[in-house]
Structures are given as structure tokens and as C-alpha cells.
Amino acid sequence: MLDRLKAVAPDPILGIIAAHAADPNPNKIDLGIGVYRDAEGNTPILDCVLQAERILDSTQTSKSYLGPRGVPGFNSAMRELIFGAESAVLRDDRVRTVQTPGGTGGLRIAADLVKTARPDAKVWASDPTWANHLAIFPAAGLELLNYPYFDRERSDLRFDAMMTALAERGPDDVVLFHACCHNPCGVSPGPDQWDAITDLAAERGFLPLVDLAYQGFERGIEEDCRSVRLFAEKCPEVIVASSCSKNFGVYRERVGAISVACGTAQKAADVETVIHSVTRKNYSMPPAHGTGIVDIILHSGELTALWRREVAGMRDRINGLRKTLVERIAAAGIERDFSFLQRQSGMFSFLGLSVDQVRRLREDYSIYTVDSARVNIASFNDGNLDYFIDALKTVL
Ligand code: LMR
């Protein structure tokens, strides 16, 4: 049976990890995968996570199955964090949140849910979007198309073109949005633009599916959910796939959720049963460790306050790096304008390099990015900035 299988190339983002790890150059830089790094280049365990993990270790009494819902306190805390404790959808009990293995798990369950509800639905993603979006929806048997989003010339949003394209979408369509910190381009709609997008969703009746992978990394924990909350106010249905990988730094624990807001509490309860049947077919029962940690943090006033400070610290460091990068590139006499880096947010931006320039960075300097020249801004630090800027100057 398996003789027919041929080796496939590694996922472009994951392939970078292996290539960087195998490179003996002491000056090598990994600008590939989206993990936060501190000033020393490490991806630390957050203090709030360390403390919660100790509590979990000393209080957990069983490793028996959790059941399809997972950790109930995690689900309710996530729901409040995303939609707002005072929101009408929560007050009316119209949201169901179910933990998933990472945000990717949430996306795949969302895809299966849509496929179950409407097998011929089309999913529309921004051009460009996270590379794995391109794989997840077709893997669930859904057609994936794109709408205009990023203008490579201006390094900015193609807002008018996006609105024109979305004005043609309707009830058979699912439109995928990045709530904040767009991956890969770092460009988000502004508040007025979100107002217009969410109005359009209500008017046209397409289903918004929001990928919330970087809550807290753009403007703030509440601010970064503004689009979700507007969709939930204006539209009868919205799905959110959220991740705790970055904002709790629990990447390998695989902590995420799918949240579905519906028109009525009964519909939400019905949809939850479908989610449970879909998760049962995928992985039967969810993991407990990471969601247990987040549950403890979000139910402790002290740990929540610490977590909020730690998220703000990561956000401020990335924003500071964006500013430093722009200043240092200009100071190095590089004529090309990189000031767009400071107008963008989150871990990622495109540097606007050709595939050949990306290859030269890799081969001549051991600086690793994906071919699109998407870089993880958090990978820069005092120890590697000069080396990077010298290399950039040479390949430009
Ligand atoms: C990224 O885009 O680098 C992250 O979201 C990690 C991943 O799984 O691709």
C-alpha cells in the first residue's frame, strides 16, 4: 500500500528550523518560525505559566479522560477573554467554546464543522495568508480561494480591493480573517476599516471565521478582539479559532479553542454537540496539561495580572525592535525605505526581498527566512542586529 508514497518536501516554515539547527555558523540567525524570543534569543517559559504549572502538579489527582469538553474552566475563561464578559452573546448564552490542540486544531475543527453544515461552502482567505491555512481547509474537503489583501508595492492593505471582493460573498461563503498581527504580512485593518468589514459581513451574510493567534501582541488583550466582538454584535454567526501558543508561550503544550457564536442559545448548544462528534472522530479526547495551566492563570487575579504584564512586555519588545530596526537600517545608509516595519504589528513582516536575495542571506550569511522573506521580528537582538543589517545591505 505505502509503496506508492513519495517523500514530500518539508513544510517551508518547519524546514527552516531543521536547516538552521544543522548550520554550524556561530552567527546564524533563524528568522523563520513564529516563536517569541527574548533579548538573549531564548523562548522563555512565562513566570505565570511556571507558577500555574506548580499549582497544577500539586493539585492534579488523576490522568483519567476529561471528556469531549476538556477543561471546563479553560473554555469559559477563553470565551470571556475573546467575547468580553459583559457581551450580549455571553449574557444570552449564545457562545460555545471547546478546547482544541492549538489554534491549528481549532481551525481544522472549524473546517470540519463547516463541511458538515454545508459541504459545498467555499472558504476565502486573504492573499497572502498563513501557509498552513492553504493546507487545512482543502484537507477537510473545502474549496479555498483568496481575496486581495496585501499590496506588496506599498507594503500596506489593499482595502478597497478587499471590500470589492468581499461584497460579492454571501451565505454560502466563509471568510477567514486574522484578528490582529496578520501572519505573514503584519498589516491589520484599522478601527474604521474593521467597522466597514463587519458591516459588510452583516449585510452580505457570509460567515466570518476569525483566526486569533496573537491576542495581546498588537494593541492589547481586549483591543485585539475588537473585530471578533463587532462580528458577534452584528452577525448571527461567527467562528473563532484561537491559540494560546504565543500569548501564554505554551507552544508545545498545544492549547487552543474553537468558539462558535450563534443566533440562539439552543443553536449554540446544538452546534456544540456537532463539535464533540467532530473532535471524537479526529482525536477522541483533548489533552489536559496546557489548558489546565491557562485555566489556573485565568482564575487567579494575581496570575492574570502577571500574565497581562508579561504579554505587554512581549508586545513592547517587538514594537521596540521594529523601531530600532528601521532606525538602524537607515543609519547604515541603506536607501530603500523600510519605515513600513514600524507601521506593522506582531511578529511578522515581509522584507520585500526576492527569492534570490533570500537564498543569498541563507547561503552567504546563515540568515534563515522563508522564501517569501517573511521575518520573525522577535528574533532580532543586540547581538545579531548589526550582522543582519550588514548582510541585508550586501544583498540589496
Ligand atoms: C508561524 O507562522 O511561523 C507560526 O504560526 C508557527 C507555525 O506553526 O507555522
Side-chain angles (χ1 to χ4, degrees):
M1 178 70 72
L2 306 185
D3 274 357
R4 293 208 233 140
L5 295 182
K6 300 270 184 291
V8 293
D11 171 278
I13 298 173
L14 302 187
I16 296 269
I17 301 178
H20 174 265
D23 189 331
N25 183 345
N27 295 320
K28 65 185 175 179
I29 313 177
D30 178 4
L31 299 175
I33 191 146
V35 293
Y36 176 78
R37 295 197 174 95
D38 63 16
E40 281 74 48
N42 301 318
T43 302
I45 305 177
L46 299 188
D47 275 346
C48 61
V49 168
L50 284 171
Q51 291 188 37
E53 202 158 35
R54 279 188 215 115
I55 296 172
L56 185 66
D57 277 351
S58 62
T59 53
Q60 199 172 48
T61 52
S62 175
K63 294 285 185 193
S64 179
Y65 292 124
L66 285 169
R69 285 202 170 87
V71 175
F74 169 82
N75 293 337
S76 57
M78 267 306 116
R79 193 162 54 211
E80 288 185 13
L81 202 59
I82 296 170
F83 292 91
E86 308 300 324
S87 61
V89 276
L90 257 65
R91 194 187 54 227
D92 301 343
D93 196 25
R94 289 189 281 118
V95 179
R96 287 295 185 279
T97 297
V98 177
Q99 70 168 73
T100 53
T104 304
L107 287 165
R108 177 58 196 248
I109 299 306
D112 285 353
L113 188 66
V114 169
K115 182 73 184 171
T116 309
R118 198 172 300 210
D120 56 352
K122 292 184 172 56
V123 181
W124 299 80
S126 59
D127 174 24
T129 195
W130 181 43
N132 211 17
H133 284 155
L134 307 179
I136 290 169
F137 294 95
L142 290 167
E143 189 177 354
L144 183 79
L145 299 131
N146 64 44
Y147 59 87
Y149 190 84
F150 181 65
D151 183 335
R152 286 174 190 274
E153 292 293 307
R154 294 183 301 116
S155 291
D156 211 342
L157 186 62
R158 297 180 63 194
F159 182 67
D160 292 342
M162 169 170 89
M163 291 299 278
T164 304
L166 295 187
E168 293 181 12
R169 306 283 65 85
D172 293 332
D173 296 306
V174 177
V175 181
L176 178 61
F177 296 97
H178 300 231
C180 56
C181 305
H182 189 280
N183 179 3
C185 72
V187 174
S188 298
D192 293 349
Q193 291 170 328
W194 274 125
D195 288 346
I197 294 166
T198 50
D199 280 345
L200 188 64
E203 187 187 314
R204 298 297 309 158
F206 57 75
L207 172 67
L209 165 55
V210 187
D211 187 338
L212 178 61
Y214 295 88
Q215 185 179 4
F217 275 63
E218 186 167 311
R219 291 167 195 238
I221 288 164
E222 268 69 41
E223 293 87 332
D224 290 354
C225 285
R226 185 168 174 271
S227 59
V228 173
R229 295 178 186 187
L230 289 174
F231 281 127
E233 272 170 30
K234 299 179 190 179
C235 304
E237 295 168 349
V238 48
I239 303 182
V240 181
S242 56
S243 169
C244 298
S245 296
K246 331 279 165 163
N247 57 2
F248 285 85
V250 287
Y251 308 86
R252 66 177 62 166
E253 303 294 356
R254 312 310 297 135
V255 186
I258 178 171
S259 299
V260 184
C262 297
T264 65
Q266 183 58 52
K267 181 53 71 184
D270 293 348
V271 168
E272 186 176 9
T273 66
V274 183
I275 292 175
H276 292 164
S277 104
V278 167
T279 57
R280 177 74 166 154
K281 281 176 251 181
N282 272 282
Y283 47 81
S284 184
M285 233 84 77
H289 191 72
T291 43
I293 291 167
V294 174
D295 177 30
I296 290 169
I297 294 171
L298 293 179
H299 285 97
S300 148
E302 205 180 308
L303 291 180
T304 299
L306 174 59
W307 170 64
R308 286 178 176 267
R309 287 198 298 279
E310 294 193 279
V311 172
M314 293 191 279
R315 178 177 66 242
D316 291 348
R317 180 176 134 72
I318 294 173
N319 288 337
L321 278 169
R322 286 181 172 278
K323 182 165 180 284
T324 307
L325 202 53
V326 172
E327 288 167 358
R328 300 268 286 270
I329 288 174
I334 293 176
E335 277 175 20
R336 193 192 284 187
D337 180 13
F338 280 90
S339 60
F340 63 84
L341 291 172
Q342 224 179 315
R343 295 192 296 275
Q344 300 173 353
S345 56
M347 284 196 198
F348 304 114
S349 283
F350 285 127
L351 282 184
L353 305 180
S354 67
V355 175
D356 186 54
Q357 289 167 323
V358 166
R359 187 187 52 75
R360 284 171 58 207
L361 279 181
R362 185 162 52 229
E363 289 176 4
D364 300 350
Y365 298 94
S366 301
I367 295 174
Y368 290 83
T369 81
V370 273
D371 282 352
S372 63
R374 182 197 81 163
V375 290
N376 175 7
I377 303 283
S379 295
F380 292 113
N381 56 51
D382 283 346
N384 65 22
L385 255 182
D386 286 339
Y387 179 75
F388 168 74
I389 291 170
D390 283 349
L392 179 67
K393 196 170 176 178
T394 317
V395 303
L396 278 175

